[in-house]
Amino acid sequence: MASTMRKLNRLAATTRAAASFSSTTTTTTTTVRRHSIIQTASYKSTMSNTFSYTPQSHWLPSHNRVTGGRSCAGCNRTFSTAATAARDLDEKELPQSNKSYVPNDVVLYQYQACPFCNKVKAFLEYYDIPYKIVEVNPMNKKEIKWSDYRKVPILMVDGEQMVNSSDIIDKMYQRMHPDSVTEDAETQKWRRWVDDHLVHVLSPNIYRSPSEALESFDYITTKGNFSFTERLVAKYGGAAAMYFVSKKLKKRHNITDERAALYEAADTWVNALNGRQYLGGSEPNLADLSVFGVLRPIRELKSGKDMVENTRIGEWFMRMESQMKPHRDTALQGS
Ligand SMILES: N[C@@H](CCC(=O)N[C@@H](CS)C(=O)NCC(=O)O)C(=O)O
């Protein structure tokens, strides 16, 4: 009996962790974000609600495939005059990264499948910051017992604890770009959209049906830090629980058709790019990194594959993948 209770408690913990995939977002007030001057030359984005369901039979049409480096299908498009002007401005005035800011010891406490953690990872990998990963066990969270903060991600930077994905990114960015001006409205808007909207669309999709819930928990429990028994309990119990919880989340966030909501979000993002390679122009900015980060863990799941097949997000997603540097572990530095 006691052991059954223990198992039920653990299952509840896993379910909470999995539910937080979408149900919790930034409740802290977003700090003033700073970003490079390029975006202040305002690209106009249209937050269009139109989206296309045009099915694409492949990941990308073969003539559009990224063949390496930064080549891309969108490169042939003519950018607006404003965009060109902004790039010129960028070349002249873009504050230089603070090359002297190289943290020595960066440790990310994470769940492998957590969208917020993946947002921070996208930032670290894009900027090629070496970091060590500590995979937290969602059942007992013993790896973060030392902290009062009970969620992940937690980023320890040379002994300083940073929490809340967007705040972590802001702080790190500011240290690397101390001369940057306040982040432009467009980037702020889309970063907020990720925290307020995009993350809420994910859970109803990845736990949409019993088979998708099982697929997601197989991924979560395979990649995560679970003991053998925990893995079994979490996989089947968690999948069943989250299947039902996701229906509640759907209601809470006024989602009627979860796939349509995911496709709409993906195409809304592509519309925001407005012909640019990235929201940041020729290079990703913090909004690109946020969208990419939260979508990355679903990419291999059915929902992520469906999203790529049925929307126009695939090309941008591949461009973003090509921008990521391989993860360098601080533990391996100098070896
Ligand atoms: N606003 C926070 C949300 C973090 C969050 O909700 N993380 C989830 C994992 S995806 C969590 O740790 N939930 C608590 C739990 O597992 O008990 C952020 O952006 O970092």
Side-chain angles (χ1 to χ4, degrees):
M1 181 66 184
S3 100
T4 312
M5 282 307 292
R6 262 200 310 277
K7 278 184 187 147
L8 284 174
N9 281 339
R10 282 183 190 160
L11 177 57
T14 316
T15 307
R16 266 201 313 278
S20 64
F21 201 102
S22 97
S23 62
T24 53
T25 52
T26 321
T27 45
T28 48
T29 318
T30 313
T31 53
V32 176
R33 291 179 177 144
R34 297 156 70 86
H35 203 353
S36 66
I37 203 164
I38 180 172
Q39 281 86 26
T40 57
S42 91
Y43 293 110
K44 267 234 171 321
S45 87
T46 46
M47 187 157 171
S48 164
N49 284 328
T50 52
F51 54 95
S52 135
Y53 286 106
T54 317
Q56 294 169 359
S57 51
H58 301 292
W59 161 231
L60 273 183
S62 56
H63 61 278
N64 279 349
R65 276 178 218 275
V66 175
T67 50
R70 291 179 184 169
S71 60
C72 65
C75 296
N76 292 338
R77 301 214 190 172
T78 315
F79 290 164
S80 68
T81 317
T84 313
R87 267 201 310 279
D88 292 347
L89 188 61
D90 174 30
E91 272 150 27
K92 286 190 208 114
E93 300 186 45
L94 184 66
Q96 293 299 301
S97 289
N98 181 358
K99 298 273 189 275
S100 62
Y101 181 67
V102 184
N104 280 322
D105 187 25
V106 180
V107 185
L108 177 67
Y109 294 83
Q110 66 152 23
Y111 302 152
Q112 176 71 26
C114 156
F116 306 103
C117 304
N118 276 280
K119 203 206 280 183
V120 173
K121 280 163 82 165
F123 175 88
L124 296 172
E125 283 167 31
Y126 177 66
Y127 284 107
D128 203 13
I129 300 172
Y131 64 102
K132 189 173 180 306
I133 292 176
V134 176
E135 188 66 26
V136 174
N137 180 319
M139 310 258 190
N140 54 32
K141 298 190 191 166
K142 66 177 188 306
E143 295 79 6
I144 53 170
K145 280 250 154 67
W146 51 268
S147 174
D148 288 340
Y149 188 70
R150 303 314 295 151
K151 293 181 181 180
V152 291
I154 297 176
L155 193 71
M156 289 301 291
V157 182
D158 293 329
E160 178 190 348
Q161 176 184 231
M162 298 183 186
V163 300
N164 193 357
S165 55
S166 291
D167 293 345
I168 293 171
I169 290 169
D170 285 339
K171 275 191 188 153
M172 293 297 284
Y173 187 88
Q174 209 170 320
R175 285 177 194 186
M176 293 160 66
H177 304 81
D179 301 328
S180 64
V181 295
T182 305
E183 184 175 70
D184 66 288
E186 185 188 40
T187 310
Q188 277 183 24
K189 170 180 134 180
W190 289 103
R191 287 182 71 194
R192 227 173 276 133
W193 175 80
V194 171
D195 289 342
D196 296 346
H197 178 72
L198 186 57
V199 288
H200 297 306
V201 174
L202 302 179
S203 282
N205 274 282
I206 68 171
Y207 307 120
R208 181 173 72 141
S209 62
S211 65
E212 285 193 59
L214 210 52
E215 181 200 31
S216 300
F217 265 88
D218 188 47
Y219 175 79
I220 290 169
T221 54
T222 307
K223 305 261 180 185
N225 176 5
F226 293 89
S227 70
F228 180 74
T229 330
E230 283 171 349
R231 182 163 294 146
L232 279 182
V233 176
K235 181 173 168 185
Y236 294 98
M242 279 314 295
Y243 169 72
F244 292 107
V245 170
S246 73
K247 305 297 164 215
K248 282 197 175 162
L249 293 174
K250 217 173 122 172
K251 243 193 191 153
R252 186 188 300 166
H253 298 294
N254 293 322
I255 297 169
T256 40
D257 179 338
E258 58 278 311
R259 273 302 197 268
L262 181 63
Y263 298 164
E264 177 171 10
D267 278 326
T268 296
W269 172 246
V270 178
N271 290 340
L273 299 177
N274 202 15
R276 289 168 282 177
Q277 292 184 67
Y278 305 100
L279 198 84
S282 55
E283 300 291 336
N285 69 11
L286 297 186
D288 289 288
L289 293 171
S290 293
V291 176
F292 177 71
V294 303
L295 290 179
R296 213 179 187 184
I298 76 160
R299 175 62 192 95
E300 296 311 317
L301 301 176
K302 180 166 177 9
S303 46
K305 289 178 188 154
D306 285 354
M307 174 184 74
V308 165
E309 288 281 307
N310 292 284
T311 73
R312 293 168 283 127
I313 203 167
E315 290 178 11
W316 169 84
F317 197 93
M318 283 188 77
R319 281 198 290 278
M320 287 301 297
E321 275 182 329
S322 75
Q323 290 279 356
M324 295 296 126
K325 322 289 181 301
H327 169 220
R328 289 194 290 137
D329 191 328
T330 34
L332 305 175
Q333 289 302 298
S335 60

